[in-house]
Amino acid sequence: MKKLTIALCYILLTTAAISTSINSYAVTCGGSITTAETLTEDLNCTTNFAFSIVGPSGSLNMNGFTVTCPLTANNGIVLGGFFARISSGTVENCNNSITLTGDGSHQVVDVDIVNPTSTALFVRSDHNFISGVQIQSNVPDSNFGIRIEDNDFNQVFGNTVDGMDNVGVQIEGSSNSVSGNIITNTSDTNGSGVGISIEPPGSSNIVTSNIIDQSAGEGILTFESDSNLISQNVVTNSLTGIAIDNADSNTVTINSVSDNTDYGIYIEDANASGNNILSNSSLNNGSFDLYSPDDPSCTANTWLGNTFVTSDPSCLN
């Protein structure tokens, strides 16, 4: 009986050790998570990528713990496959902190990203959902808070981005939704920086109900990107509130744009046409509340029902 008891104890201890080894391996630096895992400790990852999470079965509850890249040139966490998930923790000091690749439909929820050295959240796939992410940077030359690189149908909802040098949220794809975010203190050493930027090949994106404050450049910029909706945003204390540059058929409506250094709403290029600037409040901006100097007859674009005091040309409405 004693020998049987000892044998049973050995089997139980061996089983526990194997189980611990499997769980530890699943969440170790350089590994790949393919099942539902929960982080049980902080990780300092010196590998080029901290680890990957591969869907549809791979997910990670960070459980309040932190993944750190002590070598700031290294990248953080990569979500691949289809429908990988990460939530509830912190990623710190990584180059590209979280990257969404593969077939997309990934979820990033309630994650803090601290001091990314390049891009905090790099979206390189379609149909992803990003919500409750808080990005805070005190690192010079940190490029993008959230960057959607030529990908479509992503939802960026209810996030906070503070202190990025280049762009808070950059959209380079189509049919993406960026709404309910707070973006502050976007500024680099050259005095530029954009809160939300829509860049080519961006089109048919929705940018709505965001709060943008203290961008060294434009609060919201649409550059060479057509047919986007910019609505119900609040833009304050930036160089220019909302700018359209060489872009057509965009709708800018029901935004509140105030206390910006140069211009409230600005159409910058003579080639910009078919844009609709409707029912916005643009007040107390430094040079002009409404500004479209390359369209002196006010015929290339439609300006209607806006609340403002100063404009150039005077036919803007």
Side-chain angles (χ1 to χ4, degrees), residues 139-174:
V139 178
D141 300 323
S142 54
N143 286 325
F144 305 97
I146 299 172
R147 181 183 179 187
I148 301 172
E149 184 191 53
D150 196 10
N151 291 104
D152 310 327
F153 299 104
N154 294 284
Q155 295 183 59
V156 178
F157 172 75
N159 306 283
T160 300
V161 181
D162 180 71
M164 298 304 297
D165 262 7
N166 193 352
V167 182
V169 177
Q170 179 142 315
I171 307 166
E172 299 168 21
S174 298

Side-chain angles (χ1 to χ4, degrees), residues 77-262:
I77 300 166
V78 178
L79 275 63
F82 173 78
F83 193 56
R85 284 93 63 208
I86 186 170
S87 64
S88 306
T90 300
V91 182
E92 188 169 8
N93 295 339
C94 298
N95 186 38
N96 296 315
S97 303
I98 298 177
T99 303
L100 309 183
T101 64
D103 295 323
S105 294
H106 306 305
Q107 294 183 357
V108 182
V109 179
D110 296 334
V111 175
D112 293 347
I113 299 177
V114 180
N115 291 336
T117 55
S118 181
T119 299
L121 212 160
F122 201 174
V123 180
R124 307 185 74 178
S125 55
D126 302 330
H127 294 281
N128 300 289
F129 179 74
I130 300 161
S131 182
V133 174
Q134 298 190 59
I135 298 169
Q136 172 68 53
S137 177
N138 296 312
V139 178
D141 300 323
S142 54
N143 286 325
F144 305 97
I146 299 172
R147 181 183 179 187
I148 301 172
E149 184 191 53
D150 196 10
N151 291 104
D152 310 327
F153 299 104
N154 294 284
Q155 295 183 59
V156 178
F157 172 75
N159 306 283
T160 300
V161 181
D162 180 71
M164 298 304 297
D165 262 7
N166 193 352
V167 182
V169 177
Q170 179 142 315
I171 307 166
E172 299 168 21
S174 298
S175 302
N176 299 284
S177 175
V178 175
S179 64
N181 303 284
I182 299 173
I183 302 167
T184 54
N185 298 308
T186 307
S187 175
D188 66 12
T189 54
N190 296 318
S192 61
V194 180
I196 297 175
S197 181
I198 307 173
E199 305 273 346
S203 66
S204 303
N205 296 288
I206 297 174
V207 175
T208 182
S209 301
N210 301 283
I211 297 173
I212 301 168
D213 186 62
Q214 298 184 26
S215 294
E218 297 87 354
I220 300 174
L221 170 65
T222 300
F223 174 69
E224 295 184 354
S225 302
D226 305 332
S227 303
N228 299 286
L229 173 63
I230 300 169
S231 177
Q232 302 179 68
N233 302 282
V234 176
V235 186
T236 55
N237 300 309
S238 300
L239 184 67
T240 295
I242 298 173
I244 295 174
D245 186 358
N246 196 19
D248 304 328
S249 304
N250 297 282
T251 297
V252 177
T253 183
I254 323 176
N255 299 282
S256 176
V257 182
S258 64
D259 300 309
N260 298 289
T261 304
D262 282 354

